[in-house]
Amino acid sequence: MLPIRKTAKQGKRGILERLDAGEIVIGDGGFVFALEKRGYVKAGPWTPEATVEHPEAVRQLHREFLRAGSNVLQTFTFYASEDKLENRGNYVAEKISCHKVNEAACDIAREVANEGDALVAGGVSQTPSYLSCKDKTEVKAAFQKQLEVFMKKNVDFLIAEYFEHVEEAVWAVEVLKESGKPVAATMCIGPEGDMHGVSPGQCAVQLVKAGASIVGVNCHFDPETCIETVRLMKEGLQAAKLKAHLMCQPLAFHTPDCGKQGFIDLPEFPFGLEPRIATRWDIQKYARKAYDLGIRFIGGCCGFEPYHIRAIAEELAPERGFLPEASEKHGSWGDNLSMHTKPWVRARARKEYWENLKPASGRPYCPCMSKPDGWGVTRGAKELMQQKEATTEQQLKELFQKKKF
């Protein structure tokens, strides 16, 4: 058995030092879904005011991801741009402030990262301003405001993540690149490309030309789909004779029935997705496929809990030479079941059993697939125009009329 590496401080090396050396970097998992289930994030706005209101919850989740094997702790700054914190009646920008949310996120991530061999990545994501057709200067200003905090707090590198439109992702990379720190960029797209029809390969090319050293995808799609999308990105970079490290942070949900918009189009989003959750064994298979494609920054997004990150670390332990601390209580492929009192459960203490299991949902009257909503709206559509005021009853009635059961 490989040795367990206790969570402890190591000599800190930067993200590009690690990737250039061929090392596997394991990202963390999904914060907004995990903390919403725990009662610290509001579904709908999905904003990260928990960094100020409930720092202990954010700190604990960071710590669990670190113990599970994460080498990178992203600041919990998803949707933390000022325009998002004041969108549709959100109180956070006025009562707490964009600055305080981002600053607290950096402090918490750094505190936990210093407990082990982890880097802190400051992250920005897509903005309501872009969806509302605001100009480049205004959109970039939103990223700049977050970047000022990241620079003050001296994060180790930067991530532009969760972008549906490559144009906005390029603007984000251009702003983050001004820091002089390494920049990663991931888009929430599938094999069909971004919402304006730009292919994955061309998206990757544009991001690298803008200054990203690491490119890939995150969120919106399941591991299989995300790996295929990164493969297309890799081919695009090769065709353009450009080099970049590859990154993948998919959903921990099975979404083969998704449309171009990803899982947010599924009728189960966001409160009925649990039957789709990936098992730890599914994630081990994902980690191996990602590694075989040449992806070396491997993590997860919505739905990824610490045990999913541990699964990545365990699958790639032979290449890394050690297991994470969280594997102390987790035998390889279920071998701790040999201690179970029931003989038929002891018979499951082997890789062959779990590797070939086809889990049942236990829901005999439910379909195995859903029909995505597919409204087909994107930047510029009336329904995507954002506002500071809370959504009105009349606006909701109009939407209810459009979406009939």
Side-chain angles (χ1 to χ4, degrees), residues 136 140 167 169-179 183 210-211:
K136 182 177 182 178
K140 280 189 160 188
E167 180 180 53
V170 164
W171 295 352
V173 171
E174 288 172 350
V175 171
L176 299 183
K177 193 66 181 172
E178 293 171 7
S179 68
V183 176

Side-chain angles (χ1 to χ4, degrees), residues 110-126:
R110 177 62 72 194
E111 177 189 344
V112 178
N114 283 345
E115 296 172 6
D117 184 29
L119 300 171
V120 173
V124 301
S125 47
Q126 65 182 8

Side-chain angles (χ1 to χ4, degrees), residues 15-16 19 25 157-160 173 182-186 204 207-208 211-216 237 243-248 296-297:
I15 186 66
L16 294 183
L19 292 172
V25 171
F157 70 104
L158 300 153
I159 298 179
V173 171
V183 176
T186 56
L207 293 171
V208 171
S213 301
I214 308 162
V215 296
L237 292 173
K243 290 186 178 181
H245 297 290
L246 301 175
M247 176 177 176
C248 191
R296 291 296 178 267
F297 191 143

